[in-house]
Every structure is written in structure tokens, then in C-alpha cells.
Amino acid sequence: MTEKLYYENAYTKEFDARVISLEYREPYFLTVLDRTAFFPEGGGQRADTGTLGGARVIDVRERNGEIYHYLDTELALGQKVHGELDFAVRYDKMQQHTAEHILSGFFNSVFGLSNVGFHLGESEVTLDIDGFLTWEQLLHVERLANGAVRSCLPVTARFPTPEELSGMSYRSKLELSSGVRIVEISGVDVCACCAPHVGNTGEIGIIKIVSAERWRSGMRLIMHAGARALSDYERKLSSVSGISAALSTPRDEVLPSVIKLKEDVEALKHVTAEKDRRIAELAAKMLGSREGNAVCHIPDMTMDGLIAFSNAALPSVGGILVALTGEDKCYKYVISSKGTDLKALVKEINAALGGRGGGRSEMIQGSFTASLDEIKDYFK
Ligand SMILES: [Zn+2]
């Protein structure tokens, strides 16, 4: 059995060990050591990475109590090796993981909810709870959690005897009986967990819940802790500052300004639609009656305006009515007809005029890359 150095001290960054077994499984060399500080994948957390001798540790997995290091280079059986973890990455995981314990502890003690899922990704940490809370309730738990961070509480881990364990109250996702590792955050949480954690809650810095959505019969939260929370704050501040500068509005007032802007855009859309409707009516009157086909170009028209024009003008057109907007060789079209099946012709029309689009037998919509003269010639 490999000695698990990460249980003794989560801060072990480097260690010496000996290779006790080797196996090649394409494309990796699965290597077992007599001792290791590399934490294997498990409990929603990815394995540690780093180097072992001259080899890169790509992954670490535990199977039947044995810890396999997935290496990109072959080592020799019995070889003494020096291992080095990518400790910045590991430490980030320790912060996220311990933060999750604190939040889960308060969800449990304050609202009687359980953590039913956890995933510690490269950029995102998700935490699933088995009930629904309002955003204000989530913020209440978040404030308590940050209070626990500021209190710099010790985080300890130990393997109690089965007798001790039977008398203990602790959170656990599984029914466990032997070899249970209990992680305790003084006065906040007691939980069965095998992962590495920080030794003191103060090391987490800050905990922030950034989103919450309904998930199965409860909620899925996205949270950040430590440096991730700071990076998230930096990104969001940069975003708010950008909006603030673009709208010439103080940072604290960007929300009402954006809402006002959106309302203005909606009002302008109505004005534009009304203007287009009037132009469409006028253009239809100007077109008058036609026996054959008609091609009309109305610059700066919306598609809705073009459809309104087609509906108004078509009763007076004997053949096919082609309504265009846009610039030369970059036209949008609405083609309508009372008697011709346009759906049957649309492929042919598009092929002849470099177009794309489709629709119903009475009306098709799309775009042309042909010139106005070419379009007029085609529908002559
Ligand atoms: Zn844990």
C-alpha cells in the first residue's frame, strides 16, 4: 500500500519515493510508488499534476486502494524519484474545497439542507443542494461563511475509531463504516472527506456565490473562493467600468442606465416600424397597377417593412412582385405572387441571382448577391 503523504500534510509540495510497480497502458506509464503526495481524482475533484523524476504526472487515480500515477515517460522499477506537485493549482483546489465545506456546513445547520453534488472544475466550482433558497437566504449563508473565514478557524482531519465514529454526527454523501476520514472546521462543519484542505479558514480569503439556478429538486450554485473570487471581481469590475464609461454613468448607476437604454431602443423600434409601415403604403401607391412582374427597391427598409409593402402592393400586381432593400449586390428580398408557386421556383431563383432563402408558395424571403440590373433582367 502506498503511503498517502497528502493525508499527513496537505502542504507537502515535494517528496522522495521509490517506484514499486509499473504498467504500460497506452499512452501512459501507470506507476505506483511506495509513498506519494499526489492526490488522486475523486469526490468531484481532479487529480494533482506535477513531475516525478523526469516524467510529467498527467493524472492520478486510485483503484482498489492502489494509487496509479499516469506518466508520459517510463521510469525504472525500484528507481528512487523526486516528486513535485503543481502546488499553486493544488492550493487553489484546497481553498475551493474548504470553502465548499463551510458553505455546506451552514446550509445544513441553518436550513437543514444537504450538499448532494460537488464539482471542482478548472474555472468553475458547482455545489448542489437538495432544496430551494431565495437569493437573500443564499447571501445570508455566504455572509456566515465569510465570517468563518475571518475567524481563522482551524481545519483538522483524522481517522476516528469505529466506536468514536458511531457516536459522531457528521455530513456524508455515502454510508461509511470503516476508514472514514473526518474533516472538522471548528464550530462550523464536520464532514467525511478524503481530499486535501487548507489548515486554517483564514487562508480562503473570501467565498462568493456567483449564481444559483434550480437543479433537479434543489439548486445548483456556482461559487468562487480565494484567488478565483478576486479574479472574478476583477473581471466584473472591468466589465462594469467599461459599461460605465460607454454610458457616461457612474459605476453604481449602470443598471438603471442600461434599463433606460433598453427602453429607448424598444421605443425607437416602434417608431421605425411605424415609419416603415407608412413608407410601405406610400411606395405601394406609387407603384400603382402592373400587369406583369414588378421589381421595387426601397433602401433602408426592415424586413417587416418590406413584407408590409408586399402585402399592400401585391393586389395591384398581375405577376411576381420582387421587393428589395439594401445595397447593390447585397440585397434582402421579399418575393410574393398571387398565382405563381414561389416555393417551387425558389431554388432556381436563388441559383440565378446568387441568393439564399425560402418560404411559402405565396411568399419567399432571402438575400441576393446579384446587381439590381441583373435582378430586373431576370424578372423581366
Ligand atoms: Zn473535503
Side-chain angles (χ1 to χ4, degrees), residues 45 97-98 100-101 118 181 183 191-197:
Q45 182 169 330
H97 202 130
T98 314
E100 179 265 313
H101 278 246
F118 173 62
R181 184 168 180 260
V183 175
C191 179
C193 185
C194 59
H197 307 82

mmCIF file of all heavy atoms in Angstrom, residues 45 97-98 100-101 118 181 183 191-197, ligand 1:
data_model
loop_
_atom_site.group_PDB
_atom_site.id
_atom_site.type_symbol
_atom_site.label_atom_id
_atom_site.label_comp_id
_atom_site.label_asym_id
_atom_site.label_seq_id
_atom_site.Cartn_x
_atom_site.Cartn_y
_atom_site.Cartn_z
ATOM 1 N N GLN A 45 -13.275 16.154 -7.520
ATOM 2 C CA GLN A 45 -12.052 16.948 -7.664
ATOM 3 C C GLN A 45 -11.070 16.233 -8.581
ATOM 4 O O GLN A 45 -10.875 15.026 -8.468
ATOM 5 C CB GLN A 45 -11.420 17.121 -6.272
ATOM 6 C CG GLN A 45 -10.176 17.958 -6.277
ATOM 7 C CD GLN A 45 -9.738 18.320 -4.858
ATOM 8 O OE1 GLN A 45 -10.559 18.446 -3.951
ATOM 9 N NE2 GLN A 45 -8.447 18.462 -4.658
ATOM 10 N N HIS A 97 -12.178 23.742 -2.017
ATOM 11 C CA HIS A 97 -12.781 22.601 -1.342
ATOM 12 C C HIS A 97 -13.170 22.935 0.106
ATOM 13 O O HIS A 97 -14.254 22.595 0.571
ATOM 14 C CB HIS A 97 -11.797 21.424 -1.377
ATOM 15 C CG HIS A 97 -12.467 20.116 -1.198
ATOM 16 N ND1 HIS A 97 -12.267 19.050 -2.027
ATOM 17 C CD2 HIS A 97 -13.366 19.699 -0.284
ATOM 18 C CE1 HIS A 97 -13.020 18.053 -1.640
ATOM 19 N NE2 HIS A 97 -13.693 18.406 -0.579
ATOM 20 N N THR A 98 -12.272 23.649 0.775
ATOM 21 C CA THR A 98 -12.575 24.005 2.171
ATOM 22 C C THR A 98 -13.745 24.992 2.215
ATOM 23 O O THR A 98 -14.605 24.916 3.102
ATOM 24 C CB THR A 98 -11.320 24.586 2.860
ATOM 25 O OG1 THR A 98 -10.203 23.756 2.549
ATOM 26 C CG2 THR A 98 -11.501 24.656 4.366
ATOM 27 N N GLU A 100 -16.175 25.075 0.176
ATOM 28 C CA GLU A 100 -17.394 24.274 -0.053
ATOM 29 C C GLU A 100 -17.862 23.642 1.262
ATOM 30 O O GLU A 100 -19.062 23.613 1.555
ATOM 31 C CB GLU A 100 -17.101 23.206 -1.113
ATOM 32 C CG GLU A 100 -18.259 22.284 -1.436
ATOM 33 C CD GLU A 100 -18.194 20.998 -0.637
ATOM 34 O OE1 GLU A 100 -17.115 20.391 -0.575
ATOM 35 O OE2 GLU A 100 -19.215 20.603 -0.070
ATOM 36 N N HIS A 101 -16.909 23.151 2.075
ATOM 37 C CA HIS A 101 -17.287 22.573 3.376
ATOM 38 C C HIS A 101 -17.996 23.613 4.243
ATOM 39 O O HIS A 101 -18.987 23.313 4.899
ATOM 40 C CB HIS A 101 -16.044 22.101 4.137
ATOM 41 C CG HIS A 101 -15.544 20.763 3.721
ATOM 42 N ND1 HIS A 101 -15.570 19.675 4.556
ATOM 43 C CD2 HIS A 101 -15.011 20.328 2.556
ATOM 44 C CE1 HIS A 101 -15.052 18.637 3.923
ATOM 45 N NE2 HIS A 101 -14.697 18.999 2.697
ATOM 46 N N PHE A 118 -20.987 17.966 -5.945
ATOM 47 C CA PHE A 118 -19.885 18.933 -5.904
ATOM 48 C C PHE A 118 -18.982 18.649 -7.088
ATOM 49 O O PHE A 118 -18.650 17.510 -7.376
ATOM 50 C CB PHE A 118 -19.115 18.762 -4.586
ATOM 51 C CG PHE A 118 -17.857 19.580 -4.492
ATOM 52 C CD1 PHE A 118 -17.912 20.962 -4.535
ATOM 53 C CD2 PHE A 118 -16.624 18.964 -4.356
ATOM 54 C CE1 PHE A 118 -16.745 21.722 -4.451
ATOM 55 C CE2 PHE A 118 -15.456 19.713 -4.267
ATOM 56 C CZ PHE A 118 -15.517 21.091 -4.309
ATOM 57 N N ARG A 181 -12.459 9.246 7.053
ATOM 58 C CA ARG A 181 -11.639 10.406 7.407
ATOM 59 C C ARG A 181 -12.590 11.565 7.693
ATOM 60 O O ARG A 181 -13.416 11.921 6.852
ATOM 61 C CB ARG A 181 -10.713 10.743 6.254
ATOM 62 C CG ARG A 181 -9.745 11.881 6.529
ATOM 63 C CD ARG A 181 -8.707 11.898 5.413
ATOM 64 N NE ARG A 181 -7.727 12.949 5.581
ATOM 65 C CZ ARG A 181 -7.755 14.108 4.938
ATOM 66 N NH1 ARG A 181 -8.747 14.361 4.107
ATOM 67 N NH2 ARG A 181 -6.803 15.004 5.127
ATOM 68 N N VAL A 183 -13.209 15.430 8.516
ATOM 69 C CA VAL A 183 -12.628 16.765 8.413
ATOM 70 C C VAL A 183 -13.514 17.704 9.224
ATOM 71 O O VAL A 183 -14.729 17.759 9.009
ATOM 72 C CB VAL A 183 -12.553 17.215 6.938
ATOM 73 C CG1 VAL A 183 -12.058 18.656 6.829
ATOM 74 C CG2 VAL A 183 -11.644 16.274 6.153
ATOM 75 N N CYS A 191 -17.407 16.678 8.512
ATOM 76 C CA CYS A 191 -17.766 16.011 7.261
ATOM 77 C C CYS A 191 -16.771 14.904 6.934
ATOM 78 O O CYS A 191 -15.575 15.048 7.187
ATOM 79 C CB CYS A 191 -17.760 17.074 6.150
ATOM 80 S SG CYS A 191 -18.149 16.444 4.527
ATOM 81 N N ALA A 192 -17.289 13.808 6.364
ATOM 82 C CA ALA A 192 -16.405 12.740 5.903
ATOM 83 C C ALA A 192 -15.849 13.155 4.554
ATOM 84 O O ALA A 192 -16.613 13.438 3.633
ATOM 85 C CB ALA A 192 -17.189 11.443 5.781
ATOM 86 N N CYS A 193 -14.519 13.239 4.428
ATOM 87 C CA CYS A 193 -13.915 13.696 3.158
ATOM 88 C C CYS A 193 -12.471 13.218 3.079
ATOM 89 O O CYS A 193 -11.761 13.188 4.081
ATOM 90 C CB CYS A 193 -13.977 15.219 3.074
ATOM 91 S SG CYS A 193 -13.382 15.839 1.489
ATOM 92 N N CYS A 194 -12.037 12.845 1.877
ATOM 93 C CA CYS A 194 -10.676 12.330 1.716
ATOM 94 C C CYS A 194 -9.718 13.336 1.070
ATOM 95 O O CYS A 194 -8.543 13.077 0.926
ATOM 96 C CB CYS A 194 -10.709 11.030 0.910
ATOM 97 S SG CYS A 194 -11.447 11.267 -0.702
ATOM 98 N N ALA A 195 -10.250 14.496 0.681
ATOM 99 C CA ALA A 195 -9.422 15.445 -0.092
ATOM 100 C C ALA A 195 -8.550 16.324 0.804
ATOM 101 O O ALA A 195 -8.785 16.430 2.001
ATOM 102 C CB ALA A 195 -10.343 16.310 -0.944
ATOM 103 N N PRO A 196 -7.545 16.981 0.218
ATOM 104 C CA PRO A 196 -6.728 17.929 0.996
ATOM 105 C C PRO A 196 -7.459 19.265 1.183
ATOM 106 O O PRO A 196 -8.151 19.714 0.272
ATOM 107 C CB PRO A 196 -5.483 18.132 0.116
ATOM 108 C CG PRO A 196 -5.590 17.176 -1.025
ATOM 109 C CD PRO A 196 -7.037 16.816 -1.161
ATOM 110 N N HIS A 197 -7.299 19.852 2.355
ATOM 111 C CA HIS A 197 -7.932 21.142 2.676
ATOM 112 C C HIS A 197 -6.884 22.080 3.224
ATOM 113 O O HIS A 197 -5.816 21.632 3.624
ATOM 114 C CB HIS A 197 -9.028 20.947 3.740
ATOM 115 C CG HIS A 197 -10.030 19.904 3.372
ATOM 116 N ND1 HIS A 197 -9.793 18.570 3.573
ATOM 117 C CD2 HIS A 197 -11.241 19.994 2.797
ATOM 118 C CE1 HIS A 197 -10.837 17.878 3.130
ATOM 119 N NE2 HIS A 197 -11.730 18.714 2.649
HETATM 120 ZN ZN ZN B 1 -13.361 17.996 1.583
#
